[in-house]
């Protein structure tokens, strides 16, 4: 399912016409309104026939977003947008988080296994 989450899809649920701008917004994590405004501005400011041609080609070739991907919680959706945007940075961030958790766990282990009199008293009081 990982590959399915990192692909570009037409977002028909949030579509105005064919879901291309909504799909771009979902893929990049941007606001769909900004993508639509950018598309209109690009078309008006000189990209007239080419932006529309590209839009319809993408609409014809891109797959529709699978229904199970609509049911993600917001945190999971944000994570997968980050993976799509920069997979190397995402992997680096995950490794960094694991290193931080490992370091904190080692600190807790050192604290618990040390000959800490106060900790021993607190544990005895709990019994």
């Amino acid at each position: 399912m990982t590959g399915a989450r990192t692909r570009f899809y037409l977002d028909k649920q949030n579509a105005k016409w064919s879901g291309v701008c909504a799909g771009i917004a979902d893929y990049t994590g941007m606001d769909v309104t900004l993508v639509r405004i950018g598309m209109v501005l690009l078309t008006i400011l000189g990209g007239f026939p080419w932006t529309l041609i590209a839009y319809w080609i993408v609409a014809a070739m891109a797959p529709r977003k699978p229904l199970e991907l609509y049911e993600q919680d917001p945190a999971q959706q944000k994570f997968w947008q980050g993976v799509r945007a920069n997979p190397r940075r995402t992997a680096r961030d995950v490794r960094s988080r694991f290193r931080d958790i490992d370091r904190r766990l080692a600190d807790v282990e050192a604290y618990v296994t040390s000959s800490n009199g106060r900790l021993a008293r607190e544990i005895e009081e709990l019994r």
Side-chain angles (χ1 to χ4, degrees), residues 14-30:
N14 300 313
K16 291 294 182 191
W17 285 332
S18 61
V20 174
C21 290
I24 292 170
D26 180 53
Y27 187 79
T28 61
M30 295 175 60

Side-chain angles (χ1 to χ4, degrees), residues 67-108:
L67 293 176
E68 63 268 7
L69 294 183
Y70 285 110
E71 300 167 359
Q72 294 180 5
D73 64 354
Q76 192 177 32
Q77 186 175 12
K78 194 73 170 166
F79 171 77
W80 287 112
Q81 286 171 345
V83 169
R84 288 188 295 250
N86 192 341
R88 285 193 178 139
R89 186 183 72 209
T90 303
R92 186 177 56 240
D93 290 346
V94 169
R95 278 194 301 273
S96 173
R97 288 181 191 160
F98 276 130
R99 271 190 245 116
D100 183 50
I101 291 169
D102 190 41
R103 180 193 50 79
R104 290 175 25 209
L105 190 59
D107 290 346
V108 168

Side-chain angles (χ1 to χ4, degrees), residues 4 6-11 19-25 27 58 62-63 84:
T6 57
R7 294 188 57 199
F8 172 77
Y9 293 108
L10 298 176
D11 188 355
V20 174
C21 290
I24 292 170
Y27 187 79
V58 170
R84 288 188 295 250

